[in-house]
Amino acid sequence: MTFMIRGGGLELFGMFSILKSTVGLLSGVLSVRTGESVTRFYKLSMIESNKGAAVGILLIGIGLDCLVSILVFVVLIAIDSFVAAGMLKDEALSSVVFLFGTVSIMHVLRGVPYGFFLATERIVLLNALNMLEPIAFASLLYFIEGNLDINVVTLSFVTGALGLLVVSWVIFLCAAFGELRGASARIDGVVALDFMSYTGKLFFSSMLKAVGLNSENVVLGYLLGAQQIGLYNALKRALTIVQYISQPWGTLCYTRLIVLFEAGRRSDVKSYILKLTFKIMMAAIIVQIFVLFMLGYLLNYMKVPIEGLNVYYYALPLALAILLLISFWWARIYSNVVDPIISLKVNLANIALSLILTVAFVSQVGLIGVMLASLITNVSIGAYLYRHLFRL
């Protein structure tokens, strides 16, 4: 983000944010989230020492991801001109939209390897891979910082995503062959139906979550200019640094929650989540205060034009909204373990609230309306989730 704003300005960063949100929408709306299904069913198969079933689960997941990737490719061909003309205000950039959109396919194809790594508790590897893509992207931007435009940024982004895909699959194939050597694939009809049913529930939940997370920039692309979207995303990126505190814990705790819940230890599930949440929030609040204190220096370093702008007018409600979001870091894995319908309800409510409030507030008060909409939405979602957790 820093190199992009310094090298190309807020407008370039705004265009990048719109494109990235479009990729997020495609990945989330069309992906069936096989990675999470693989994690659950592969883990259960290995607990039962049924390697044949584990191989079958991996093959089902790979097949689904390949079908979804073809669908994403077709959709990209159909919408590239529309996105370029409607959101980037330049139909000549349709080829850029298409190239950027291929990252959606790469995200889909990473599903099974990531699900396998999580099921086999290769947490350090998974976190290292998650860091590889942004590091590669930032490194490419650093070396060409003075000559940035949307074409260069797109090529750099696609290169980073492709590198991560290749590395993920090489490691996955080596690890899977080592762990499952000698096992013959066995696809049990009942297990396959359970897998598809569970994946179907996750699909609708993930689709709604993707719309909720990524529709914001898409909607703002019509309501505001790229410059204002760039400013909003610059503030958001700076303030979401604090999310790195909570980010790994969903991965680290997923298999633990599966074991506790399947053993019928519901009170332990609740206690485990609440104790960890308290520690995460204490650390997050301290870090967020520090980030707010340093915000002016950070924006100046990024060459964000803030002269005459009351940065904290926008930053304080956004910082509070982000802290509220961190407070239910556990929501997705909790839903996957306890009842996938929880995520479905939450994501549906999130879409309805955030879109309605964003359009209404931005139309009336401009950019600050985005922050207020996020704050009200997160308060409402948090209240529902904690009510459900305490009743477990």
Side-chain angles (χ1 to χ4, degrees):
M1 175 186 77
T2 300
F3 302 132
M4 195 185 310
I5 296 175
R6 284 174 62 88
L10 281 178
E11 186 172 359
L12 175 62
F13 185 55
M15 295 172 70
F16 171 78
S17 300
I18 292 170
L19 286 171
K20 192 173 182 185
S21 292
T22 303
V23 166
L25 274 173
L26 284 174
S27 301
V29 170
L30 299 179
S31 173
V32 291
R33 305 294 291 188
T34 49
E36 294 175 21
S37 299
V38 164
T39 298
R40 181 182 181 88
F41 286 88
Y42 185 94
K43 185 72 175 179
L44 293 175
S45 296
M46 294 305 285
I47 288 174
E48 297 169 358
S49 299
N50 192 343
K51 290 188 176 183
V55 174
I57 292 299
L58 295 178
L59 292 177
I60 293 172
I62 291 169
L64 283 174
D65 282 348
C66 288
L67 289 174
V68 171
S69 296
I70 294 171
L71 177 60
V72 173
F73 182 81
V74 173
V75 171
L76 277 174
I77 294 174
I79 70 168
D80 57 358
S81 297
F82 171 77
V83 172
M87 287 179 277
L88 300 182
K89 317 300 183 187
D90 186 355
E91 193 170 351
L93 293 174
S94 59
S95 59
V96 171
V97 174
F98 179 83
L99 181 60
F100 204 104
T102 59
V103 175
S104 300
I105 298 174
M106 300 175 203
H107 286 173
V108 170
L109 293 175
R110 292 200 314 241
V112 171
Y114 274 39
F116 172 81
F117 297 147
L118 185 53
T120 54
E121 301 186 28
R122 289 175 164 87
I123 308 303
V124 174
L125 170 62
L126 198 53
N127 288 330
L129 289 172
N130 284 331
M131 292 173 62
L132 179 61
E133 183 177 14
I135 289 174
F137 180 45
S139 299
L140 289 168
L141 293 183
Y142 174 77
F143 288 112
I144 51 178
E145 182 179 345
N147 302 289
L148 292 184
D149 59 26
I150 193 62
N151 295 290
V152 172
V153 168
T154 297
L155 186 59
S156 300
F157 189 67
V158 172
T159 300
L162 180 60
L164 177 59
L165 177 65
V166 172
V167 171
S168 299
W169 267 89
V170 169
I171 297 174
F172 162 65
L173 291 173
C174 292
F177 279 122
E179 186 163 316
L180 301 171
R181 182 177 294 137
S184 300
R186 187 173 69 83
I187 300 177
D188 183 275
V190 175
V191 174
L193 287 175
D194 286 343
F195 183 95
M196 298 299 288
S197 174
Y198 184 77
T199 301
K201 292 177 183 178
L202 290 182
F203 165 71
F204 287 109
S205 172
S206 300
M207 177 182 67
L208 293 173
K209 183 179 180 181
V211 173
L213 287 175
N214 297 288
S215 59
E216 187 177 67
N217 282 322
V218 175
V219 171
L220 292 178
Y222 289 96
L223 297 175
L224 302 171
Q227 185 90 2
Q228 285 185 294
I229 296 172
L231 174 61
Y232 167 64
N233 280 280
L235 288 171
K236 189 174 181 181
R237 287 291 185 90
L239 293 170
T240 51
I241 290 172
V242 71
Q243 285 189 307
Y244 285 107
I245 295 172
S246 63
Q247 205 169 58
W249 292 104
T251 302
L252 291 168
C253 300
Y254 191 20
T255 53
R256 172 67 174 165
L257 291 184
I258 291 174
V259 172
L260 288 174
F261 187 76
E262 294 297 330
R265 298 164 58 184
R266 297 193 172 201
S267 61
D268 288 339
V269 171
K270 179 168 63 177
S271 175
Y272 184 72
I273 289 173
L274 291 175
K275 287 178 180 178
L276 192 51
T277 299
F278 177 78
K279 295 176 182 178
I280 289 172
M281 289 306 298
M282 290 300 99
I285 290 170
I286 293 170
V287 172
Q288 193 71 301
I289 291 172
F290 176 76
V291 171
L292 284 168
F293 178 75
M294 298 296 295
L295 186 59
Y297 299 102
L298 180 60
L299 294 177
N300 280 323
Y301 173 74
M302 291 189 294
K303 298 182 180 180
V304 175
I306 58 174
E307 294 80 6
L309 180 69
N310 185 355
V311 173
Y312 292 100
Y313 173 69
Y314 300 101
L316 287 175
L318 183 58
L320 184 55
I322 290 167
L323 286 173
L324 286 168
L325 184 64
I326 291 171
S327 73
F328 44 90
W329 62 271
W330 45 269
R332 184 164 189 81
I333 58 170
Y334 173 82
S335 174
N336 288 350
V337 171
V338 176
D339 183 2
I341 297 300
I342 298 170
S343 277
L344 191 64
K345 292 178 179 177
V346 166
N347 291 324
L348 186 59
N350 182 54
I351 291 172
L353 281 172
S354 62
L355 288 182
I356 291 171
L357 293 176
T358 297
V359 172
F361 288 175
V362 171
S363 300
Q364 295 299 315
V365 297
L367 184 58
I368 187 64
V370 187
M371 290 69 170
L372 296 176
S374 296
L375 185 58
I376 294 172
T377 299
N378 288 349
V379 167
S380 304
I381 297 300
Y384 169 77
L385 286 169
Y386 275 99
R387 179 173 174 268
H388 196 286
L389 178 64
F390 281 113
R391 290 187 172 187
L392 183 66

